[in-house]
């Protein structure tokens, strides 16, 4: 089932793209991530230009986040107050990312920059998440040995920020500057990398902001939804890299996949989900690093039609 992508200027197997969207939608519902951290690299591996992959993946993440956020809202898993602050930061970050995207494009380094960002960001986050998740997986065994894992609240730097607000749903009394800055960072990376940012948001909300675990996934999806909407609009207006056909194929699979993932997540231990997510993130970072350093024997190949 060959489909022509007008912006990417190539033909792809439509069924493969739909299945890829289903996998990222599944991750969206399970982990509270948009799935863009997986979509963009897989599209690049499949032959889609990195700029088109990043812009179109952000559009697909919007659809996946809608489905997952609706389910989380029904179960009361969204803190709209802190989510709104992060959305405001995400919109500001999107504007910053758009300026960086145009600058790197003008320098002819945007494709390399996207790949390097994936290696650095995914590798760092994957290691941090694995270090946090592994002790929690064995918390029962540690308790038997008389060792209990330390419970975490918000980071000391967050505690020192001024202008504290009460976020009742998350059980926090912190400065709104912390979620605002977090939203800005994620918004900038969303614009550059086509990610939803959930793989950054979820551990940051748990271990930096100290949010209650039962609202982390839903609030993450809420922030991702509006940040990716802003990112899609910004790409459409400034870079013209959004391929509507590619995004539509990805959405076909992601919306249904997100519902399945959200139901599955409620039956699995949260620390196990975080460990699985950490392993996925590390695997993708390693694959991107290999792609940047490995030189094939034949740089160019000719394939007969």
């Amino acid at each position: 089932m060959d489909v022509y992508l007008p912006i990417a200027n190539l033909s792809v197997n439509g069924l493969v793209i739909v299945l890829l969207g289903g996998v990222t939608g599944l991750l969206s519902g399970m982990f509270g991530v948009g799935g863009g951290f997986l979509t963009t690299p897989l599209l690049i591996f499949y032959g889609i230009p990195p700029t088109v992959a990043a812009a179109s993946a952000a559009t697909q993440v919007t659809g996946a986040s809608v489905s997952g956020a609706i389910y989380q809202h029904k179960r009361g898993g969204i803190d709209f107050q802190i989510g709104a602050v992060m959305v405001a930061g995400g919109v500001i970050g999107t504007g910053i990312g758009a300026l960086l995207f145009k600058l790197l494009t003008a320098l002819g380094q945007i494709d390399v920059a996207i790949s390097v960002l994936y290696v650095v960001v995914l590798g760092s986050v994957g290691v941090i998440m694995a270090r946090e998740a592994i002790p929690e997986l064995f918390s029962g065994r540690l308790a038997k040995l008389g060792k209990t894992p330390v419970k975490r609240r918000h980071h000391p730097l967050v505690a020192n920020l001024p202008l504290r607000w009460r976020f009742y749903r998350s059980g926090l009394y912190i400065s709104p500057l912390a979620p605002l800055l977090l939203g800005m960072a994620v918004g900038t990376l969303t614009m550059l990398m086509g990610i939803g940012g959930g793989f950054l948001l979820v551990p940051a909300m748990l271990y930096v902001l100290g949010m209650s675990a039962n609202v982390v996934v839903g609030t993450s999806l809420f922030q991702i939804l509006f940040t990716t909407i802003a990112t899609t609009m910004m790409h459409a207006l400034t870079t013209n890299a959004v391929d509507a056909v590619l995004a539509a194929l990805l959405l076909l699979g992601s919306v249904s996949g997100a519902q399945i993932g959200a139901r599955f997540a409620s039956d699995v231990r949260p620390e196990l989900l975080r460990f699985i997510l950490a392993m996925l993130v590390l695997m993708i970072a390693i694959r991107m690093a290999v792609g940047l350093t490995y030189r094939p024997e034949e740089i160019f190949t000719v394939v007969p039609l």
Side-chain angles (χ1 to χ4, degrees), residues 8 36 39-44 48-58 193-194 241 246 250:
T39 305
T40 304
L42 290 180
L43 288 175
I44 293 172
I48 307 296
T51 50
V52 177
S56 303
M193 301 169 64
L246 176 60
L250 290 169

Side-chain angles (χ1 to χ4, degrees), residues 80-136:
F80 289 101
Q81 187 183 8
I82 201 167
V85 176
M86 288 195 292
V87 167
V91 173
I92 297 171
T94 299
I96 297 172
L99 295 175
L100 292 174
F101 197 101
K102 289 188 69 175
L103 175 62
L104 291 169
T105 301
L107 295 173
Q109 299 298 319
I110 185 63
D111 291 354
V112 175
I114 289 173
S115 297
V116 171
L117 273 174
Y118 265 100
V119 173
V120 174
V121 174
L122 294 185
S124 302
V125 172
V127 170
I128 294 171
M129 289 178 66
R131 289 179 60 187
E132 296 291 348
I134 290 173
E136 291 182 3

